[in-house]
Amino acid sequence: MAELSFTQEELDEIEKIKAKFPTVKAATLQVLWVAQRKYGHVEPEVQQLVAETLDLPAAHVHGVASFYTQYYKEEMGKFVLDVCTCLSCQLCGGYEILHHLEDELGIKAGETTDDGMFSIQEVECLGACGYAPMLQVTNGVYVNNLTEEKADELIKNLREGRMPEFESMQMPKLEKRNQAAS
Amino acid sequence: MPEVFIDGKRYEFEGDHMALQYMLDQGLEVPFFCYHPSMSIPANCRQCMVKAGQYMKNDETGEYELDEEGERKIRWFPKLQTSCALKLSDGMVIQTQETSDEAERAQKDTLEFILANHPLDCPICDQAGECPLQIQTYKYGPEGSRFEVKKVHKPKRVELGPRVTLDAERCINCTRCVRFTEEISESHQLTIVSRGDKNYPITAPSETFDDPYSLNTVDICPVGALTSTDFRFKARVWEMNQTPSIDISNGKGCNVDLWTRDNEVLRITPRQNDHVNDYWMPDESRNAYKLFNENRVSRPFIKLDGDNQSNSSWNNAIETFAEVLEANDSSDILLIGSPHASVEENYTFNKFFNLLGAPNARFATHIIDGYGDDFLITDDQAPNTSGCRLLNLDESSSSELKTAVSQAKVVITLGDDLIDRDVLSVSDLEDPYVVSLATNHNEMTKASDLVIPITCVAEHAASYVNIDGRIQRSFPAKETKYSNRRLNLEMSEGRLDRFGTNFDNWVNEDNKVDCLPVWEFLNKLAERLGLEFEYRHSREIMTEISEKLDTFADVSFERMDEEKGIQLPIKQSKVEQK
């Protein structure tokens, strides 16, 4: 891999992040995000870059990066589909959605398509049991109440570069309370 | 004075104390894994749980509130507390596993939890016998496991660095090793990666664990997760003898334990001494054990024709030595003492030949500038430079020593490889008759006409003065041909020694070196020369030194044993340290 570095713009951003915290150590999480946004992953070289930029021990950055599954420790597809197969999703068809996506993209969970477009991951509960089954796109938007058609549409849209919109899902009670408040 | 009630007993205390350390100081027992007195307290093993509370006092009267039965009322903290992180306060009540079923149950549960994924490979694990987890499970643990699923297997035999091997599946994530690299050695090389039941300590992907103090993490690892690559599978602790001693590989004089079996030193570990090395020692000092076992001079060697050295009897060696001394004028004799030898050795060596009329012994320091760090590695490579200075040996530079050698007809040296460390060259020693009193074969013994084998630090009781002027002593840890573990009451006896015999198949007679303490050899030489010179123990020598030399006043083996060494009244700047 070519020599890695942050641009001046990114360095400025990192300075701003650092300024938010009493110690540099605390900035590790956010700076890892900056790095992952740039490179799409935080492989050991990227962790090294973060450590050098923040002047922290490489071991510390490695420990943080390996603790959180949201940091990708290897190269992933452009879109990472985290399909939840935990209890609620499982009961509502999470595995069907997962296997449908696997068939559709021709890869198994944990793999990346040859064109580097998609990765599929089977993940534990993402805290959206009310609208199961669901998946998350690259640590970002949730796609809820999935059906096979909705999944197909998602793939099509992503191929064309259209990220799904953020869906606001309100709990019935919350809706009531919000109405009362307004 | 503030008071605290532990298991129904009242204790008074002053100042700030953490409950666990305070209880340990009182000789009470509370099990723990992650706590270490020299490092920060993370309270993450949860093993030192106690039930704690506070006697209730009436705000107005200041009197203790009593219940119906006349007992003091206790307001318990809502949950059990980790005693390592619990600060003592006035009127605190603590119940340990001794009196509280709750605490006992919590410790049992913690152990069951820790053991859920911990392999039960004690029969092959290197830590067996000195493993707190093993001991505490035996004492406080559950009798069975409710976990029927397969254990999580983490990486095995990971070479973290040149000296440390990791068996991650044994790790209980106490983080002592990580804290050691962060707080003590400050190399920050280790971290805990991953999470939950998959986490374990390792270096960053691009780093190796080559910290010069890395093996200390092996000492403090409470389980067999971090092991010394060198010592793995060599011996069980219960087969070995543990003998207190002093590190002789540099000037700091770290307090160490020598672990021996069948007259071989198998490993060296640090021994706590707050005045010198706390709980730690450098990795390189641990390698010194090889010097005690390998390449030893056993039986005297003598050059007969040309450069051919051959074994000789002690009688022949003494006779030859005596003849050389008699044939030469005492002013033609050059004595070279050694900062690598003990105070007693240098003293008797110098005294003996002074009695014969030879001038005072010289010595050459073994200091490599810039070699040390600010911690336990020093520029000074010898354990007793200060000792030589305090005995008033003449400190000589390389060139001064070369001149002196060229003017002498007989050169007698004491346990110091002057050729290997470039003080003298082989050609310097061609003309005079060279006698070496040596522990190991080296360039110096090769160039000598007569080599007398002497005991090393692992074989004698002797004292060394470190760079800070602290005099500390060693105990004999391994037998020589002429010493006997069962007769020498200063030597420790291990299980194998106590219950084995000399005819057991693990006993190897070859591991006993045929050598004598310097003073014992000189006794024999004195007898031959008709000189009044006799010592029966190095203790006697130290007594004599303390009577004769003011700096050593009141120094005795007994005091050194009791006080873990004695600070001598000299300035620290005597040996230059950067």
Side-chain angles (χ1 to χ4, degrees), chain B residues 390-535:
Chain B
L390 293 177
L391 288 171
N392 298 322
L393 302 196
D394 298 328
E395 190 172 333
S396 304
S397 67
S398 169
S399 59
E400 284 167 344
L401 216 53
K402 273 177 197 256
T403 323
V405 169
S406 68
Q407 286 161 358
K409 288 190 179 140
V410 181
V411 174
I412 307 171
T413 72
L414 175 64
D416 197 351
D417 190 356
L418 295 165
I419 297 175
D420 189 52
R421 58 185 183 95
D422 286 334
V423 177
L424 297 176
S425 64
V426 181
S427 56
D428 291 329
L429 295 169
E430 264 165 11
D431 291 334
Y433 190 85
V434 181
V435 184
S436 278
L437 285 74
T439 56
N440 293 71
H441 287 292
N442 51 35
E443 291 304 313
M444 192 71 194
T445 59
K446 260 187 233 164
S448 304
D449 299 279
L450 179 62
V451 185
I452 306 294
I454 56 169
T455 50
C456 67
V457 66
E459 288 150 346
H460 59 213
S463 44
Y464 299 80
V465 185
N466 79 355
I467 52 160
D468 302 325
R470 193 176 183 81
I471 186 165
Q472 319 177 96
R473 73 134 166 163
S474 68
F475 290 79
K478 56 191 285 247
E479 292 177 345
T480 66
K481 278 265 190 290
Y482 310 102
S483 61
N484 186 311
R485 194 173 283 284
R486 294 186 181 179
L487 296 180
N488 185 339
L489 298 181
E490 236 184 16
M491 289 178 95
S492 62
E493 255 189 320
R495 193 167 157 271
L496 289 186
D497 305 303
R498 209 166 296 137
F499 302 112
T501 77
N502 279 345
F503 308 106
D504 281 333
N505 60 5
W506 62 272
V507 176
N508 188 352
E509 200 58 25
D510 293 347
N511 293 343
K512 289 186 182 174
V513 181
D514 192 352
C515 61
L516 285 173
V518 169
W519 50 271
E520 211 168 316
F521 170 75
L522 294 176
N523 281 348
K524 289 176 193 290
L525 193 57
E527 204 181 322
R528 161 66 181 76
L529 291 167
L531 208 63
E532 222 170 283
F533 181 96
E534 199 188 355
Y535 294 101

Side-chain angles (χ1 to χ4, degrees), chain A residues 43-108:
Chain A
E43 281 187 357
E45 293 87 350
V46 182
Q47 294 171 21
Q48 187 70 38
L49 172 69
V50 171
E52 278 163 19
T53 312
L54 292 178
D55 196 20
L56 283 173
H60 168 74
V61 176
H62 181 55
V64 172
S66 65
F67 186 87
Y68 296 97
T69 48
Q70 288 91 338
Y71 295 121
Y72 303 134
K73 269 74 70 179
E74 54 196 63
E75 239 184 292
M76 299 293 249
K78 190 172 169 201
F79 303 108
V80 182
L81 308 177
D82 291 338
V83 187
C84 175
T85 55
C86 233
L87 187 66
S88 303
C89 287
Q90 191 186 118
L91 291 174
C92 296
Y95 273 108
E96 281 78 20
I97 298 296
L98 176 70
H99 297 318
H100 178 73
L101 284 170
E102 285 178 339
D103 293 344
E104 205 63 19
L105 297 172
I107 50 170
K108 290 271 167 223

Side-chain angles (χ1 to χ4, degrees), chain B residues 120-361:
Chain B
L120 297 177
D121 56 358
C122 309
I124 58 153
C125 176
D126 254 303
Q127 192 80 357
E130 53 181 355
C131 172
L133 183 56
Q134 194 183 30
I135 296 163
Q136 287 177 30
T137 305
Y138 177 72
K139 287 176 96 165
Y140 306 105
E143 281 176 11
S145 172
R146 288 175 288 169
F147 293 84
E148 291 171 354
V149 286
K150 253 188 153 181
K151 295 196 177 209
V152 173
H153 289 289
K154 293 187 254 185
K156 279 195 79 72
R157 290 179 294 280
V158 183
E159 286 190 14
L160 283 188
R163 296 173 290 273
V164 180
T165 302
L166 167 76
D167 275 316
E169 58 181 14
R170 295 188 190 136
C171 175
I172 61 169
N173 286 291
C174 71
T175 68
R176 273 180 175 185
C177 53
V178 176
R179 281 177 285 142
F180 176 84
T181 62
E182 280 173 7
E183 296 164 22
I184 309 292
S185 71
E186 294 177 355
S187 67
H188 301 276
Q189 283 181 333
L190 289 181
T191 187
I192 299 281
V193 293
S194 197
R195 58 171 157 172
D197 54 15
K198 295 184 186 62
N199 61 355
Y200 57 91
I202 202 162
T203 57
S206 52
E207 280 177 4
T208 54
F209 188 35
D210 53 2
D211 188 322
Y213 295 91
S214 68
L215 282 169
N216 289 296
T217 60
V218 175
D219 299 329
I220 56 174
C221 180
V223 290
L226 292 169
T227 54
S228 156
T229 308
D230 183 57
F231 180 66
R232 264 159 84 93
F233 308 124
K234 269 196 189 162
R236 291 299 196 184
V237 276
W238 57 83
E239 301 171 336
M240 295 190 283
N241 294 318
Q242 182 184 10
T243 311
S245 195
I246 298 301
D247 172 28
I248 44 95
S249 62
N250 74 35
K252 192 73 187 176
C254 290
N255 288 218
V256 299
D257 279 314
L258 302 180
W259 296 79
T260 52
R261 186 184 62 183
D262 190 21
N263 289 307
E264 275 190 310
V265 183
L266 296 178
R267 70 168 175 180
I268 301 177
T269 55
R271 180 164 54 94
Q272 186 213 349
N273 187 339
D274 295 341
H275 302 288
V276 183
N277 55 321
D278 210 0
Y279 295 84
W280 324 114
M281 71 181 286
D283 287 358
E284 55 175 25
S285 301
R286 295 176 199 245
N287 268 332
Y289 78 91
K290 289 178 186 150
L291 288 174
F292 307 149
N293 303 331
E294 296 163 11
N295 198 27
R296 292 293 302 274
V297 184
S298 191
R299 299 194 74 194
F301 279 77
I302 196 162
K303 250 184 216 172
L304 292 176
D305 48 354
D307 275 347
N308 288 334
Q309 256 182 359
S310 66
N311 253 160
S312 148
S313 71
W314 282 96
N315 280 339
N316 187 27
I318 291 166
E319 193 58 36
T320 312
F321 203 161
E323 280 170 10
V324 169
L325 291 174
E326 281 167 347
N328 286 283
D329 198 55
S330 56
S331 57
D332 288 333
I333 298 174
L334 172 68
L335 297 179
I336 306 176
S338 166
H340 289 277
S342 66
V343 172
E344 287 83 355
E345 285 175 305
N346 277 301
Y347 175 78
T348 46
F349 176 77
N350 192 28
K351 179 184 168 184
F352 182 91
F353 296 101
N354 282 173
L355 286 176
L356 286 177
N360 211 19

